Amino acid sequence: MGEPRILIVGLGLIGGSLAAALKQNGFQGEILACDRDREEIERGIAMGIIDRGDTDLEPLLPGCSLVVLAVPVMAMEAVLNRLAVSSDERTIITDVGSTKGAIRDAAIRAFGDLPSRFVPGHPIAGSEKTGVEASDAELYRHHKVILTPDDDTDPDALRRVSALWVSCGADVLTMDIEHHDQVLAQTSHLPHLLAFSLVDTLARQDERLEIFRYAAGGFRDFTRIAGSDPVMWRDIFMANRDAVLAALDDFESGVARLRNAVVAGDGDAMLATFDRASHARRYFDTLLNQTSYQAGYQTMEHSKRRYRVAPGGSASGCIRVPGDKSVSHRSIMLGALAEGITEVTGFLEGEDSLATLQAFREMGVAIEGPHQGRVTIHGVGMHGLQKPAGPLYVGNAGTAMRLFAGLLAGQAFDTELTGDVSLTRRPMGRVADPLREMGAVIETAEGGRPPLMIRGGQALQGIDYDMPMASAQVKSCLLLAGMYAQGETRVREPAPTRDHTERMLNGFGYRVEREGDTAWLQGGGKLLAGPIDVPSDISSAAFFLVAAAITPGADLTLEHVGINPTRIGVINILQAMGADLTLANQHEVGGEPVADIRVRYAPLQGIEIPADQVPLAIDEFPALFIAAANASGTTRLRGAEELRVKESDRIQAMADGLTALGVENRVHDDGIDIVGRADDTADDGPLYGGGHVDSLGDHRIAMAFTVAGLRAADEILVEDCTNVATSFPGFLDLVKRLGMHVVEEAS
Ligand code: S3P
């Protein structure tokens, strides 16, 4: 067999661009074209994108290995009829039609059944321009081409059609025909219909010249596609009638809702819709640009990034780390359920808290921002949430999922909570079990893992619950459910855990009592909006406390850090290890104590970590383990089995990383022993080696090993660091500002 010969039937923009792309990318065979317009063929030859052509199909068919149908959808059937009679059985057939069901039906009518050598396809690319002259060899580069094979499609034919598009730079995927037609009706056909209709409606008005003269940006952007080929689009709407009508019905009810909001002057309803749309649009942009999404919610799996940490560097200066993650989550939750408007400052614009924010938008809450840490929440009251259109995706955020579980168990509607791969491995039975005791109906995946299906409309009863583990998330979940329950909900904790929920509920006027180890509230109350000032997150500050504590000559001040007594284990432990750490400017903001923390380098000693400090430093152990590696003597931690069910198994992840750097350690079920590398004689040099460390997608593991670089002898490569954005956007900027050299790169 000689070189392959491809025949393109219909030499317009789409067919011509395919020919141009094949030529540009070194296609070795012959490219033929059939078009009823002889001038188009001559133009194609003159442009050098086809070798020859004809207005008649049959003379071109002999010797063709592949025929690509690029005629309008309604013209496909006539071509298929002729191919059924005249084409060789070995010739592969594909098409580029924007609807697939109608073309499949036409092929069945023409051939008697769907030939296995027919691979229906649809390149998602185009332009409002028409004709071969507009051909663009780059039209398909980085664009998707959807192929819709069925079970009987010849795998070799599928492979060759796929290779054809890949050679033009396209990303090929497969889908079934019905799904394709539905998705395209929503994302392509409906917007074209709207653009045609809007331009036509305005053009009919008398003063049209006036209108178009002043119609600038918005009109131009929205209606660009109304310049598209009318015949092609008539065909598409005839061919994809049912799916288009379904999409149009949905759209009409959306417009009707907005119309009602405009009629009623309901600014909150408008804001809720516009906000949701604006965030969804920005998310869509990031998908197109393949960038990570920090200014909105996170729903996509990131491309993996690694940190290349140069050894040494300094850790001096004065910085402020971002807002507290726990308080940020709660500010949105309570603000949304409150009556009135809650103004938040210092909000953490990390992916975890943004996921919470986005989830409330999806339940109809109007939220402005975040903009430089400012968020305005238009509270809907305890019973004002609306059923979201789909599952609520909370990404990496365990706090969001567990607190939501309690809050959603009390709603009138059903919800589904999902998360990313890491969250999907984490235990949710610890909240689902006591919630069920309260009367909630919750299904989990195997082993009590996400997703959670929560049935609404249940009458919850208060509970008196002894928590088996010290968990602020479980406590908070039950207190939030307790607001929707009959009677009193009491939660007893085996050790003190962070008390932000209790403090903030009281701040919102919802009374929570506390005596000893027990917190309780009565169901049926309400929340009143008020301002919230989120302090800087001590869990984020911890990396810098440790950075300065281990770096000879360091003098670092961290401003406005939250020092809630249930969170200061890291301060107590570092001081017990000998760190020179002082608090200044202590005061209260919105019910939470804050201070500026100054750390100067001083040699550290290994210690037995006091059991009562473990829950108070639960998120700070990755950083503290680095301090331990830099101390003299051994640091011993026990009673910390909770570390095994965080964003990763933090005991094992840290042990593996420390081992990679040459730091001796012994792992225990509930803790670890770390043999510090500093001896008693003062030595300012490196204490351990460099190496390759896997953070396992856990933000705190990634940040801990970045800081470890300060006393490493060689470069440390930290893998899988994208999730640092869940809790600490801007981490690398601060690290560099203090004097470390870290480069982020694709891995
Ligand atoms: C949190 C509680 C802690 C902590 C998490 C945030 C909270 O989890 O690790 O990062 O905001 O309530 P546990 O309740 O599982 O200990």
Side-chain angles (χ1 to χ4, degrees), residues 325-326 330 399 402 430 470-473 498 618-619 642 646:
K325 182 152 72 77
S326 295
R330 289 158 171 85
T399 306
R402 295 199 178 116
R430 56 179 58 197
S471 166
Q473 291 177 356
R498 65 193 67 193
I618 195 69
D619 287 344
E642 277 294 301
K646 295 293 179 189

Side-chain angles (χ1 to χ4, degrees), residues 23 130 132 135 176 206 330 365 402 412 447 491 598 617 633 655 698:
K23 285 280 180 202
T130 55
V132 69
S135 298
D176 74 50
D206 287 339
R330 289 158 171 85
V365 181
R402 295 199 178 116
V491 189
R598 183 173 183 190
D698 184 330

Side-chain angles (χ1 to χ4, degrees), residues 119 147 153 188 230 270 297 347 388 433 471 522 562 622 659 708 730 734 746:
V119 183
L147 303 179
T153 306
S188 168
M270 289 182 234
Y297 68 111
F347 180 77
D433 292 342
S471 166
Q522 302 290 332
T659 304
L734 283 182

Side-chain angles (χ1 to χ4, degrees), residues 457-522:
Q458 311 299 319
L460 302 185
Q461 290 297 326
I463 189 177
D464 187 345
Y465 190 65
D466 259 324
M467 281 196 296
M469 74 290 289
S471 166
Q473 291 177 356
V474 176
K475 173 177 65 176
S476 303
C477 163
L478 299 180
L479 291 176
L480 293 178
M483 298 195 298
Y484 290 92
Q486 281 271 334
E488 190 173 273
T489 295
R490 303 175 74 88
V491 189
R492 195 166 303 111
E493 48 191 11
T497 67
R498 65 193 67 193
D499 62 0
H500 304 298
T501 303
E502 299 92 302
R503 284 175 188 251
M504 291 176 74
L505 280 173
N506 280 320
F508 275 79
Y510 201 118
R511 192 142 183 74
V512 185
E513 314 275 356
R514 171 109 211 171
E515 213 179 278
D517 56 5
T518 305
W520 70 94
L521 55 66
Q522 302 290 332

Side-chain angles (χ1 to χ4, degrees), residues 296-535:
Y297 68 111
Q298 185 267 354
T299 62
M300 57 181 178
E301 295 300 326
H302 297 291
S303 57
K304 288 197 172 173
R305 314 286 298 171
R306 76 157 76 97
Y307 292 168
R308 187 177 287 278
V309 184
S314 58
S316 291
C318 180
I319 57 173
R320 186 185 278 227
V321 299
D324 189 278
K325 182 152 72 77
S326 295
V327 176
S328 293
H329 279 300
R330 289 158 171 85
S331 70
I332 301 290
M333 293 181 176
L334 301 188
L337 295 176
E339 289 167 17
I341 294 177
T342 296
E343 301 274 2
V344 186
T345 49
F347 180 77
L348 168 67
E349 296 185 40
E351 287 171 354
D352 275 13
S353 36
L354 288 169
T356 290
L357 190 153
Q358 182 62 20
F360 278 101
R361 284 196 168 120
E362 286 171 32
M363 291 188 283
V365 181
I367 303 176
E368 296 169 64
H371 182 67
Q372 294 183 335
R374 289 186 171 274
V375 180
T376 304
I377 308 157
H378 298 253
V380 295
M382 294 298 288
H383 299 283
L385 296 179
Q386 291 160 22
K387 182 176 168 53
L392 296 174
Y393 177 83
V394 296
N396 198 244
T399 306
M401 186 167 280
R402 295 199 178 116
L403 271 58
F404 267 131
L407 200 153
L408 294 172
Q411 304 303 317
F413 48 83
D414 298 349
T415 34
E416 180 178 349
L417 284 168
T418 69
D420 71 3
V421 183
S422 150
L423 187 56
T424 303
R425 290 194 209 106
R426 297 181 65 186
M428 295 297 147
R430 56 179 58 197
V431 287
D433 292 342
L435 285 172
R436 289 185 188 119
E437 281 183 43
M438 295 176 78
V441 178
I442 301 182
E443 285 163 41
T444 65
E446 215 183 301
R449 315 278 154 187
L452 301 184
M453 310 287 301
I454 302 172
R455 290 261 165 277
Q458 311 299 319
L460 302 185
Q461 290 297 326
I463 189 177
D464 187 345
Y465 190 65
D466 259 324
M467 281 196 296
M469 74 290 289
S471 166
Q473 291 177 356
V474 176
K475 173 177 65 176
S476 303
C477 163
L478 299 180
L479 291 176
L480 293 178
M483 298 195 298
Y484 290 92
Q486 281 271 334
E488 190 173 273
T489 295
R490 303 175 74 88
V491 189
R492 195 166 303 111
E493 48 191 11
T497 67
R498 65 193 67 193
D499 62 0
H500 304 298
T501 303
E502 299 92 302
R503 284 175 188 251
M504 291 176 74
L505 280 173
N506 280 320
F508 275 79
Y510 201 118
R511 192 142 183 74
V512 185
E513 314 275 356
R514 171 109 211 171
E515 213 179 278
D517 56 5
T518 305
W520 70 94
L521 55 66
Q522 302 290 332
K526 61 180 186 176
L527 300 165
L528 297 173
I532 298 177
D533 182 349
V534 183

Side-chain angles (χ1 to χ4, degrees), residues 145-156:
V145 172
I146 302 175
L147 303 179
T148 58
D150 66 12
D151 291 346
D152 297 326
T153 306
D154 173 9
D156 186 50

